[in-house]
Amino acid sequence: MNTLDPNLISEFRSVLAGPVFTPDNDAYNAVRQLWNATADKHPALIVQCWDRGDVIAALKFARQHQLEIAVRGAGHNIAGNASCDGGLMIDLSNMQGIELDQAAERVYVQPGVILEQLDAATQAHGLAVPIGINSTTGIAGLTLGGGFGWLTRQYGMTVDSLVGVELITVDGEILYANEAENDELFWALRGGGGNFGIVTRFDFSLVSVGPDVLAGLMVFPLAQADAVLKRYAEWILTTPLTFNAWVVLRAAPPLPFLDASLHGTPVAVIPICHTGDLASGEKLVDTLRSFGEPVGEHIGVMPFVDWQQAFDPMLTAGARNYWKTHNFTQLSPELLQLAVDFADQQPGPECEVFFACIAGVSNEVAPEAMAWQARDAKFVMNIHARWQDIHDDGSHIDWARALFNAAQPYASAGAYVNFMTEEEGGRIESAYADNYQRLVAVKQAYDPDNLLHFNQNIKPD
Ligand SMILES: Cc1cc2nc3c(=O)[nH]c(=O)nc-3n(C[C@H](O)[C@H](O)[C@H](O)COP(=O)(O)OP(=O)(O)OC[C@H]3O[C@@H](n4cnc5c(N)ncnc54)[C@H](O)[C@@H]3O)c2cc1C
């Protein structure tokens, strides 16, 4: 292919501040890796951009030489869309600038920033952006798809805190978008994914959090899960928005506070995070404890930044992963029973079924206010099949799909695009529901040739 002519690549290198990797570079294999090992892709070229000039040059080069384009933040997306076979990966992971303006209550974030870096920068001032719960996740993909975590009940989705973006269009134009300027583009970027251009800066408003919170885990044997979760499902919706508790059904990891005899046995883990006053948080924990007989507990006051990293050891890169997701307005006893039954039959020790509670401020926003529309969702389920050996692909994927199908009758409209491993026929369209056609129009306006198609793709008109 003409584009791989070494002279062309040298010429391309000469206009860039950042490095270019081709398959003959020693570092190529390390640089091309994504979080999910099932996405094993080999781009022809990887450009590690240092600045927006590099992004513009990379887009121009890809267009001139008809190379497919994949855009990478931190490479966490389960679908592996941050890379492609044979095309150009525009890797933004080195663009890690964060600028915080305390007086304006704003933080300006480049697209290679991971959550750990953003939490560290904001929590140094007792501030935060409501983001996800795994510190190695990229802010770019998380925000563009919606974004939720421990603070979502109280402060909404990550996109609810997004106040502006700087973006490079596929034609290489630099645009700023917010509610006043390029407002239709801004509307689409708040949940519509990487469909409309390459974001080179995210501007967020800030809220006050911690820096200490009451957080930790309560563990019940799976045999008690049915009874405990039925009470949890109604109770959690009555608790203050400063309190959040999720449900994780899985084999007990070898946590130091669990008796060794429990390691590997099926359990229901309830992780909690409370940003309000300690006394009220402790009372809520007492109530939760009374729902059953916990076999282990590790809850206390800790820095929010530490809690944000608590799950990192179980979510390391390099494993094989397959996810399926639904939204729910309530967790019915039938649904919970189903989840418990499937958790009891999970095909491997690293799989889990989790229910994240997002009930609160997010439910008060109109569905048409921005692309992310599932404003009735109070819970998000992720069926997370995770394993190491390629020979176990079938059993794990089948398990995730079977639970997904069985849970379908209880699901509410929409779905979280950031938890979709693959398009399954109309699922992206249904994820955006009534907002889909408006997204198609924005796509048509900003990327009519669908050059940015390695994403949860919204096709132009
Ligand atoms: C272990 C783990 C934990 C997670 N926990 C949470 C959680 O708690 N809450 C939550 O909401 N989500 C969570 N997620 C999902 C996460 O939000 C998505 O995987 C997200 O896509 C990750 O962003 P990234 O930048 O790392 O992804 P990448 O794979 O780098 O990018 C994903 C896609 O985003 C687009 N993109 C990336 N950067 C840009 C850019 N600058 N401009 C335009 N398009 C761009 C591209 O289409 C790309 O394919 C988790 C994921 C993992 C793997």
Side-chain angles (χ1 to χ4, degrees):
M1 180 164 58
N2 195 20
T3 47
L4 294 183
D5 178 332
N7 291 328
L8 275 177
I9 294 171
S10 312
E11 211 178 290
F12 183 37
R13 276 198 170 101
S14 72
V15 301
L16 296 166
V20 174
F21 300 90
T22 51
D24 54 347
N25 293 128
D26 290 344
Y28 171 85
N29 259 326
V31 176
R32 77 179 177 84
Q33 298 298 333
L34 300 179
W35 182 81
N36 185 2
T38 65
D40 185 23
K41 300 183 183 174
H42 294 78
L45 286 176
I46 302 172
V47 181
Q48 261 182 358
C49 299
W50 280 106
D51 54 27
R52 59 191 190 186
D54 281 357
V55 176
I56 294 168
L59 280 165
K60 187 174 167 197
F61 186 84
R63 293 194 71 154
Q64 267 174 353
H65 303 290
Q66 285 95 45
L67 287 169
E68 289 197 286
I69 301 164
V71 182
R72 174 194 173 115
H76 258 227
N77 197 265
I78 187 69
N81 284 324
S83 190
C84 58
D85 283 315
L88 171 62
M89 183 208 277
I90 301 181
D91 178 355
L92 307 166
S93 60
N94 278 334
M95 293 175 66
Q96 297 186 345
I98 300 178
E99 209 182 300
L100 188 139
D101 182 341
Q102 205 168 350
E105 296 178 347
R106 292 282 184 272
V107 63
Y108 307 100
V109 183
Q110 287 194 326
V113 164
I114 60 169
L115 305 194
E116 177 185 5
Q117 294 166 324
L118 182 54
D119 279 330
T122 54
Q123 280 287 279
H125 305 278
L127 299 168
V129 177
I131 50 180
I133 63 145
N134 168 234
S135 80
T136 58
T137 306
I139 191 66
L142 176 123
T143 305
L144 291 167
F148 65 83
W150 298 118
L151 304 178
T152 295
R153 289 198 71 203
Q154 193 178 3
Y155 294 118
M157 302 287 293
T158 308
V159 276
D160 295 333
S161 292
L162 188 68
V163 294
V165 296
E166 179 192 84
L167 169 137
I168 314 288
T169 67
V170 290
D171 299 325
E173 192 187 348
I174 303 170
L175 292 182
Y176 188 74
N178 61 19
E179 281 194 337
E181 198 178 333
N182 296 308
D183 54 331
E184 197 62 10
L185 175 63
F186 185 57
W187 176 90
L189 287 164
R190 294 168 93 184
N195 275 287
F196 312 102
I198 299 186
V199 177
T200 44
R201 201 186 75 211
F202 295 88
D203 302 352
F204 295 104
S205 57
L206 289 159
V207 294
S208 294
V209 171
D212 284 343
V213 295
L214 179 68
L217 309 171
M218 196 177 286
V219 182
F220 297 92
L222 199 69
Q224 288 179 33
D226 196 24
V228 170
L229 298 187
K230 274 180 194 152
R231 296 183 69 183
Y232 157 88
E234 291 193 0
W235 168 78
I236 187 65
L237 299 177
T238 68
T239 58
L241 301 185
T242 49
F243 185 80
N244 206 344
W246 293 9
V247 173
V248 186
L249 306 172
R250 56 166 299 137
L255 296 166
F257 66 90
L258 287 181
D259 190 272
S261 65
L262 293 166
H263 298 170
T265 63
V267 288
V269 182
I270 311 228
I272 69 118
C273 180
H274 177 64
T275 59
D277 73 278
L278 183 58
S280 67
E282 282 174 338
K283 270 194 193 151
L284 291 160
V285 171
D286 285 345
T287 306
L288 180 61
R289 197 180 290 118
S290 73
F291 292 168
E293 289 169 30
V295 287
E297 187 179 313
H298 184 78
I299 293 176
V301 175
M302 64 183 80
F304 182 62
V305 288
D306 288 358
W307 180 236
Q308 283 285 82
Q309 296 174 28
F311 295 92
D312 291 1
M314 288 192 289
L315 296 168
T316 49
R320 303 179 74 74
N321 296 272
Y322 184 86
W323 293 2
K324 299 290 283 184
T325 184
H326 281 305
N327 292 337
F328 301 99
T329 54
Q330 58 165 344
L331 301 180
S332 68
E334 295 79 12
L335 169 68
L336 290 168
Q337 182 66 61
L338 195 65
V340 169
D341 290 348
F342 270 80
D344 208 14
Q345 299 151 22
Q346 58 184 307
E350 295 185 73
C351 299
E352 61 186 35
V353 180
F354 88 65
F355 293 98
C357 180
I358 61 167
V361 164
S362 172
N363 304 129
E364 290 160 18
V365 179
E368 66 278 8
M370 62 187 81
W372 200 88
Q373 65 77 39
R375 297 298 179 170
D376 61 345
K378 296 203 165 137
F379 299 92
V380 178
M381 175 170 75
N382 193 19
I383 307 163
H384 182 175
R386 181 177 164 97
W387 65 103
Q388 303 295 332
D389 187 335
I390 195 168
H391 298 104
D392 293 332
D393 283 12
S395 59
H396 284 71
I397 292 170
D398 287 352
W399 172 79
R401 285 182 175 157
L403 174 51
F404 171 81
N405 289 334
Q408 176 81 63
Y410 308 102
S412 53
Y416 187 34
V417 291
N418 273 347
F419 283 178
M420 289 184 193
T421 311
E422 57 197 355
E423 168 60 304
E424 302 131 12
R427 186 129 163 93
I428 293 169
E429 186 167 346
S430 68
Y432 292 110
D434 291 345
N435 286 345
Y436 187 72
Q437 284 312 323
R438 192 167 162 190
L439 284 164
V440 169
V442 182
K443 179 75 173 175
Q444 176 67 32
Y446 288 91
D447 183 19
D449 298 325
N450 204 9
L451 295 180
L452 300 174
H453 59 265
F454 289 115
N455 43 42
Q456 302 296 357
N457 196 228
I458 293 159
K459 293 189 177 48
D461 211 352

